[in-house]
């Protein structure tokens, strides 16, 4: 009898490992277990990049939110840290940001890390917590009671940064389908200074997770919208303009839309405060609320996209946000002969395509089960697309079977980087024309790459 019980226990304990785990390489951050959504509180201090995140440690679905925590010295290898903020009787801990209080404006101490987050119950309000041990532990200020209460529904996701010129803090809040701007001298008392949004960009869904920063001499405002995304559901839009310490004035025309990424799984993008060398580094949740809680998962659910570095480019009279993988990834690249050699870890395929008289050029990744992803340049219509309709497991949500498309404006030589990991494919055009982030769930790794014709060449690299 004892023998049978032992066998039963061993069998039960093995069960989760029989289902696909889809745990990616460390390039794509994942929680140790449980549920994860937005990146929160991205801040750099004393050689450490901190990544906090929306987290439910207990199950693999969204439920009372905590701030999970991890640290890294290179944005690639992460160390899990104890949970930073727990929900309490005041509410759940929703998204927000962290700053380094270099001038001790709040009185918590020189270089204290201050977290500014939303407490969510029947209403939403903003609260702060602080750390005087470099982000290891946080104390809730005033027992977690709000420092800023709602002036409208959907009042959340504070992004705070230091505005050097006026020596004050600026807070952006997603508030009732707009962005509200507040200012403060001490992170505790805030006054509203302006708002932006009505008539601008996409308003088919709720606005969430704003961020704003200066690139060269232009201000870029990032706003996530859900639903209403470019391929349905969630997506990240942005605006380019000017900020005078009070008001953001967009260069964009009323009604025009700009997307940061042309895939279907790119949401809640925010950037690091205090990053070294003035770098503007972004982390994105690699998912879509349309099916986030249904994607194949066993012990954890969701990953972050690879960290990217943002810059701005002027084309004629218009400015464009350029999104590139952080250069730290280049140091991992080791040339291999085939994706079969690389399939047990993340890998990169660098592709060069010479335009061929209005014809289509197709690249396919495929496994032995005939599951495949196709990438297509259509030079007649000047588009690049990715088709994941036969990519593996797709039946957990009707809208997962998607073809995502981006415009290419120049019909000259095309160069792209395709980064493949256990549950994702990210594509970066080397001229910054587009990027495209998508989930895929093959039941075994893709093992063969095929291309149509002589005009395509490629090389493959392990990213390990
Ligand atoms: C965006 C979001 C935020 C909110 C958080 C809750 O994905 O809805 O607006 O703070 O998730 O988990």
């Amino acid at each position: 009898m004892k023998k049978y019980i032992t066998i039963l226990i061993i069998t039960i304990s093995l069960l989760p490992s029989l289902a696909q785990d889809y745990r990616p390489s460390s390039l794509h951050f994942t929680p140790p277990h449980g549920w994860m959504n937005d990146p929160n509180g991205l801040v750099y201090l004393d050689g450490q990049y901190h990544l906090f995140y929306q987290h439910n440690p207990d199950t693999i679905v969204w439920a009372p939110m905590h701030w999970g925590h991890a640290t890294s010295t290179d944005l690639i290898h992460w160390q899990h840290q104890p949970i930073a903020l727990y929900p309490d009787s005041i509410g759940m801990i929703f998204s927000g940001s962290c700053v380094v209080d270099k001038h001790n404006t709040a009185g918590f101490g020189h270089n204290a890390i201050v977290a500014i987050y939303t407490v969510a119950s029947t209403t939403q309000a903003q609260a702060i917590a602080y750390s005087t041990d470099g982000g290891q532990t946080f104390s809730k200020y005033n027992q977690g009671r709000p420092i800023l209460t709602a002036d409208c529904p959907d009042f959340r996701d504070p992004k705070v940064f230091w505005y050097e010129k006026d020596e004050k803090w600026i807070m952006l809040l997603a508030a009732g389908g707009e962005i509200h701007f507040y200012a403060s001298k001490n992170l505790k008392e805030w006054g509203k200074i302006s708002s932006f949004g009505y008539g601008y960009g996409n308003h088919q869904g709720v606005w969430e997770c704003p961020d704003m920063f200066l690139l060269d001499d232009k201000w870029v405002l990032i706003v996530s919208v859900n639903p209403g995304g470019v391929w349905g559901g969630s997506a990240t839009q942005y605006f380019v303009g000017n900020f005078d310490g009070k008001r953001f004035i967009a260069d964009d025309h009323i009604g025009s839309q700009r997307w940061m990424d042309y895939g279907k799984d790119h949401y809640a993008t925010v950037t690091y405060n205090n990053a070294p060398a003035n770098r503007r580094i972004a982390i994105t949740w690699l998912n879509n609320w349309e099916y986030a809680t249904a994607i194949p998962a066993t012990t954890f659910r969701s990953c972050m996209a690879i960290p990217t570095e943002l810059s701005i480019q002027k084309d004629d009279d218009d400015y464009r946000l350029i999104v590139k993988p952080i250069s730290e990834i280049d140091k991992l690249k080791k040339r291999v002969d085939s994706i079969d050699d690389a399939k047990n870890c993340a890998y990169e395929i660098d592709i060069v395509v010479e335009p061929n008289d209005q014809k289509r050029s197709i690249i396919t990744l495929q496994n032995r089960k005939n599951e495949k992803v196709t990438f297509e340049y259509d030079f007649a219509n000047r588009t690049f697309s990715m088709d994941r309709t036969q990519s593996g497991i797709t039946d957990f949500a009707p809208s997962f079977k998607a073809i995502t498309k981006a415009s290419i404006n120049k019909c000259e030589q095309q160069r792209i980087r395709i980064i493949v990991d256990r549950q994702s494919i990210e594509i970066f055009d080397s001229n910054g024309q587009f990027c495209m982030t998508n989930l895929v769930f093959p039941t075994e790794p893709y093992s063969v790459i095929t291309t149509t014709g002589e005009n395509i060449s490629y090389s493959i690299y392990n990213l390990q």
Side-chain angles (χ1 to χ4, degrees), residues 122-282:
T122 48
T123 57
Q124 298 180 350
Q126 318 318 319
I128 60 178
Y130 58 95
S131 169
T132 51
D133 57 6
Q136 276 308 300
T137 56
F138 280 82
S139 306
K140 288 178 182 164
Y141 170 68
N142 204 7
Q143 275 104 45
R145 283 194 280 274
I147 46 134
L148 183 61
T149 49
D151 63 4
C152 61
D154 287 321
F155 185 71
R156 58 177 178 267
D157 307 341
K159 171 70 189 205
V160 175
F161 64 89
W162 179 248
Y163 187 71
E164 184 65 49
K165 213 162 147 200
D166 296 351
E167 297 186 347
K168 66 183 180 190
W169 298 101
I170 299 288
M171 181 198 291
L172 278 71
L173 271 181
E178 292 192 288
I179 303 305
H180 288 186
F181 290 78
Y182 292 78
S184 171
K185 287 285 185 190
N186 60 10
L187 292 166
K188 295 171 181 162
E189 288 130 359
W190 294 88
K192 188 170 170 191
I193 48 174
S194 64
S195 60
F196 168 81
Y198 281 128
Y200 288 94
N202 181 294
H203 281 277
Q204 283 171 39
V206 63
W207 279 22
E208 300 183 317
C209 303
D211 198 343
M212 195 174 82
F213 41 86
L214 189 63
L215 289 176
D216 297 340
D217 56 352
K218 293 308 278 190
W219 285 86
V220 176
L221 169 62
I222 291 182
V223 178
S224 286
V225 63
N226 175 57
V230 57
W231 304 111
S234 321
T236 319
Q237 56 183 334
Y238 73 94
F239 305 89
V240 178
N242 295 306
F243 180 66
D244 60 4
K246 218 172 161 203
R247 199 167 280 284
F248 175 78
I249 309 281
D251 291 354
D252 308 72
H253 303 297
I254 295 259
S256 65
Q257 294 178 17
R258 301 176 193 250
W259 300 105
M260 196 170 165
D261 186 279
Y262 285 86
K264 200 169 153 84
D265 302 303
H266 187 277
Y267 198 59
T269 308
V270 281
T271 66
Y272 270 90
N273 272 332
N274 204 38
N278 226 4
R279 292 171 82 190
R280 188 50 60 178
I281 296 163

Side-chain angles (χ1 to χ4, degrees), residues 359-376:
K359 290 206 203 88
R360 286 160 197 265
S361 292
I362 298 171
I363 302 134
T364 307
L365 286 182
Q366 193 161 343
N367 64 20
R368 288 171 309 172
K369 294 184 174 170
N370 218 14
E371 296 166 343
K372 59 183 177 194
V373 176
T374 43
F375 310 94
E376 178 180 303

Side-chain angles (χ1 to χ4, degrees), residues 80-97:
H80 294 297
Q81 302 292 349
I83 286 176
L85 292 169
Y86 283 82
D88 59 22
S89 59
I90 303 176
M92 298 184 264
I93 314 294
F94 271 18
S95 289
S97 51

